[in-house]
Amino acid sequence: MKAVLYISLLLFSINLFGQTKEQKTESLIKELGYFGSMKSALFDYHLKNLKNFVDKNDNRIEVLENKLSDNEIIKRLSNAYSKIFSQKEIEELYKFFNSETGKKYSKSQNDVENKIKDNFIDIFEEINQIQEENQEKQNNQGSYLTKFFDTKFDKPDGFYLVTENRINKEERKLELEEKPSFTPNDIEEIKSSYDDLGNLIIDIKFKVTSAKKLKEITAKNINKGMAIIVDKKIIKMPVISSEIPDGKLQISGMFTVEEIKNIVNKLKK
């Protein structure tokens, strides 16, 4: 019995110390699943999906597939490994993962992950509940804003401050001020043009006295909305992010040429 045990230990020692650093690194890479994961990611995901988009006559995928032999993948993974771990550390890792405990560790990763998830299941359920409630709030808010923008307001063309009034803990209501802060009479110049990306925009320049008023209003109403109404509809509702000192505004959006012309004509006096 002692002889058998001695021979077994001797064979283990020969196997453990008789391999080169490269062989031990390769063994670790395979044992820890890096090789299988990388090969699957390259062939089963990236290259496979790429085949659905490239021209059939493009042979670069085939060249890549031929290039990525098992030895090539192992070589690249080993290079990455050797830049992190010294030879002594690789020896220690190799010895550990060839022990019974190490083998159990590498084979039990999925079980460990599942057990960890089981012990946090109540936390994940609470997170999901918060996410679902938040998503519902966002959906309701989106529906409310859509209805708000679709509403016809019995108000003359102009620029109206928007106030947000809380109905309850969950609901808020947007309301336009009774009278416009600015009307077409406050505008000195309005014209359509194009931005740097070629999109249609409207440039507005206010009269001197109105420009001063614009500066005061925007300074006092940071983070509030300013609804621009044309033909009883809100065409744009930007949020005031800072004071506007120069009396100049720019309206942008997904407008057609005809819509831009109509807006300019309605706001031009």
Side-chain angles (χ1 to χ4, degrees):
M1 180 66 181
K2 288 182 178 179
V4 173
L5 181 60
Y6 176 76
I7 292 170
S8 297
L9 288 172
L10 180 63
L11 290 172
F12 176 76
S13 298
I14 293 170
N15 181 59
L16 188 63
F17 298 105
Q19 290 184 307
T20 64
K21 177 189 174 184
E22 289 73 21
Q23 289 173 322
K24 290 176 181 178
T25 304
E26 179 180 337
S27 177
L28 283 169
I29 287 168
K30 290 182 176 179
E31 182 70 27
L32 295 175
Y34 291 122
F35 171 72
S37 297
M38 180 56 70
K39 185 174 181 179
S40 177
L42 289 168
F43 284 89
D44 298 335
Y45 181 73
H46 292 289
L47 294 177
K48 184 178 180 180
N49 289 337
L50 198 57
K51 289 178 181 179
N52 297 324
F53 299 100
V54 300
D55 191 286
K56 292 181 178 180
N57 296 321
D58 192 337
N59 67 340
R60 287 178 294 174
I61 294 178
E62 185 179 352
V63 172
L64 276 174
E65 288 177 330
N66 293 331
K67 182 179 182 179
L68 289 169
S69 63
D70 288 359
N71 287 336
E72 179 65 19
I73 295 173
I74 289 171
K75 177 184 174 183
R76 290 170 182 261
L77 289 172
S78 297
N79 184 47
Y81 223 69
S82 63
K83 288 181 178 179
I84 299 173
F85 299 104
S86 66
Q87 184 167 351
K88 181 183 176 183
E89 289 168 335
I90 288 175
E91 294 277 0
E92 292 172 351
L93 286 169
Y94 180 78
K95 186 175 180 180
F96 171 72
F97 284 107
N98 273 277
S99 69
E100 290 301 318
T101 303
K103 289 178 180 179
K104 181 178 180 180
Y105 176 85
S106 62
K107 291 178 181 179
S108 303
Q109 286 302 293
N110 288 336
D111 292 336
V112 171
E113 287 180 9
N114 290 332
K115 291 299 180 184
I116 290 173
K117 289 178 182 178
D118 289 342
N119 280 274
F120 284 87
I121 192 166
D122 58 318
I123 300 299
F124 291 131
E125 286 177 351
E126 191 169 345
I127 289 172
N128 287 335
Q129 183 179 351
I130 294 171
Q131 288 176 333
E132 288 174 2
E133 290 176 358
N134 188 60
Q135 185 62 52
E136 185 178 356
K137 289 178 184 177
Q138 289 181 351
N139 291 339
N140 292 337
Q141 185 180 24
S143 298
Y144 174 76
L145 285 174
T146 300
K147 291 178 182 178
F148 184 75
F149 275 91
D150 287 341
T151 301
K152 278 200 170 185
F153 296 91
D154 189 19
K155 294 179 179 294
D157 297 341
F159 301 74
Y160 295 78
L161 276 174
V162 182
T163 56
E164 187 177 55
N165 299 315
R166 188 185 291 275
I167 299 174
N168 52 47
K169 186 178 179 181
E170 304 295 334
E171 293 182 85
R172 295 179 182 183
K173 184 180 180 182
L174 296 177
E175 292 183 353
L176 302 183
E177 63 178 346
E178 197 63 35
K179 295 181 179 180
S181 298
F182 303 96
T183 70
N185 291 324
D186 293 295
I187 297 174
E188 179 179 306
E189 183 182 10
I190 180 170
K191 61 182 180 179
S192 62
S193 60
Y194 292 89
D195 62 16
D196 294 337
L197 298 175
N199 300 312
L200 276 168
I201 57 173
I202 299 173
D203 287 317
I204 299 174
K205 181 181 179 182
F206 285 86
K207 295 176 181 177
V208 175
T209 53
S210 301
K212 291 179 181 178
K213 183 181 175 183
L214 178 65
K215 180 180 178 180
E216 292 174 2
I217 287 178
T218 52
K220 293 178 182 178
N221 293 278
I222 303 294
N223 294 325
K224 287 187 178 180
M226 174 77 79
I228 304 169
I229 289 184
V230 173
D231 290 336
K232 303 186 184 302
K233 297 278 289 183
I234 296 175
I235 61 163
K236 198 75 175 176
M237 194 176 75
V239 174
I240 299 169
S241 58
S242 62
E243 174 189 292
I244 300 175
D246 58 1
K248 294 180 180 179
L249 286 180
Q250 190 178 87
I251 304 174
S252 60
M254 301 299 290
F255 298 118
T256 65
V257 174
E258 289 303 316
E259 287 172 335
I260 289 284
K261 286 181 179 179
N262 181 58
I263 293 169
V264 170
N265 289 334
K266 289 286 183 177
L267 295 179
K268 184 184 289 185
K269 290 293 182 179

